[in-house]
Structure formats: C-alpha cells, structure tokens
Amino acid sequence: VFDSLADAGPVPALEGSSGNPILALLPGSRKQEVRAGLPALLEASRILVSHHPGLETWISCQRENLIPEIDAILADHSQVKVHVGDARALQARARLAIVCSGTVTLETAWHGIPMVVAYPANQLQRSVYRMLAVAPYFSLINLFAGRELVPELLFEPGDGAAIARLATPLLDDQRASELTQELKTIRAEKFHPGASQKAARQ
C-alpha cells in the first residue's frame, strides 16, 4: 500500500469542485458494500451539511461499473457529486472523510485527512465480531496507531445519525488540526515499506 502511495505521482484534478470544503464519502469498491453502506453515509452527510451548509458532499466511485448502483441511490440527493476514478482526488482535498474499513483508511490517513471509519453490520454480525474479535479495533488505521486514533463504528445499515454523531466533532477546526497532525506523525513513524505485513503479524 505504502509503496504504491509513495510512487503514485501527482494527485489528480477534481473536476467540478466549487472550492468549498469537501465531505468525502468512500463507500467501498464492491457493489455489495455500496448497497449496504452508501445510504447511511448519505444520511450522515445530510445531517452534517444541515449544520455546516458550506460543506460539499462528494462520493468516490473507484470503478465505472459502480456508477448505476450509485446513481440509483442518489435519486433523492441531487446536490451530491460523484468522482469516478482515482480516489486520491478526494482523499487529498477532503475536509472530512467517511470511509468504509479497508486499505482506503490507510490511503486517507496518508493524506492527513480527518475521518470516521464506518462499516455496515447488523446486530448478529456485531455480536459475532465482539465475541470473536482478537483485536480491539477493526480499522487498519487504528490498528497501526495501536489506539483509537479515529472514530470507528460498526453501524446498523441505514443508521446515518450514528455516523454523523461521530463525525460532527471532527468538523471543529482545532480537533481537525490535532487529528491531522497525529495522522502525519503516524505516517512518518509507521507508514513505510513492509509495515502492512508487520501489522498483520502482530
């Protein structure tokens, strides 16, 4: 992951941005993830934008075959924009990101962007996770940090309000600045070739 980030070259342009602060939604790269998670991420966005009207919501669509899935879910969200392609265009420019768990959390952390890591899970799945979990966190960025550096949540599908509650404090300028600095420190200390394999062995 870190080799590819270091060698990725310039961040792509974000066509269509108004220059307003960006709330980036990264629902995953598979159709099932988008169907299960994106409606709640959009509800969280609606709540956050209602309190912070300057925010501009963008969805990262990393694969073109996801466009019909996203368009169908966006039927009632005309103000939301979609970026198709390299997620770095959003990850590098976001004021705040709501991210499904996976390597995308490390990619977002690489850019020093405050985030909430949220993954859809029903009550049974959450119970099984609590029973079987061998680590205190499920997000890779918190595992790398060894503490809850960013808020993480296994949310009931559709429960955007729960995500918004975790995300709201990160829109405070001071808290956002502190978290950005913490993410940059983690990047300098731990984001290096071989780090992913080392973390997996721990």
Side-chain angles (χ1 to χ4, degrees):
V1 174
F2 306 126
D3 289 340
S4 62
L5 283 167
D7 297 336
V11 174
L14 182 61
E15 301 294 339
S17 173
S18 68
N20 288 336
I22 289 173
L23 171 60
L25 308 181
L26 295 102
S29 57
R30 298 194 297 268
K31 289 182 179 182
Q32 183 178 356
E33 290 176 327
V34 171
R35 290 173 193 156
L38 184 55
L41 270 58
L42 287 167
E43 175 61 13
S45 164
R46 185 193 64 77
I47 294 169
L48 293 169
V49 171
S50 71
H51 295 289
H52 301 270
L55 279 176
E56 186 174 284
T57 302
W58 284 75
I59 296 171
S60 172
C61 174
Q62 296 183 49
R63 299 180 180 177
E64 290 191 4
N65 68 341
L66 294 176
I67 293 174
E69 298 284 339
I70 291 174
D71 284 347
I73 296 170
L74 281 180
D76 297 323
H77 300 272
S78 59
Q79 300 304 311
V80 176
K81 299 180 180 181
V82 179
H83 172 73
V84 181
D86 194 332
R88 292 182 304 145
L90 291 177
Q91 289 169 318
R93 296 179 174 89
R95 171 65 176 77
L96 173 65
I98 303 176
V99 185
C100 282
S101 187
T103 56
V104 70
T105 65
L106 300 180
E107 294 165 359
T108 305
W110 176 273
H111 295 287
I113 303 302
M115 76 185 97
V116 173
V117 181
Y119 197 81
N122 59 36
Q123 185 173 352
L124 175 60
Q125 290 169 326
R126 294 197 301 273
S127 297
V128 170
Y129 171 80
R130 285 192 292 267
M131 262 193 324
L132 300 181
V134 295
Y137 315 109
F138 70 87
S139 64
L140 288 176
I141 181 57
N142 285 340
L143 289 171
F144 264 79
R147 59 191 173 92
E148 189 170 307
L149 179 61
V150 304
E152 62 175 36
L153 175 69
L154 292 172
F155 67 91
E156 184 75 27
D159 192 1
I163 302 171
R165 283 193 294 271
L166 291 181
T168 295
L170 300 184
L171 288 170
D172 174 78
D173 288 341
Q174 181 174 346
R175 177 65 189 119
S177 178
E178 291 170 352
L179 181 51
T180 293
Q181 186 55 53
E182 290 178 285
L183 290 168
K184 289 180 178 179
T185 299
I186 291 291
R187 170 180 168 173
E189 292 178 350
K190 299 191 176 185
F191 286 18
H192 51 78
S196 298
Q197 292 84 350
K198 182 178 179 180
R201 292 194 299 267
Q202 293 176 343

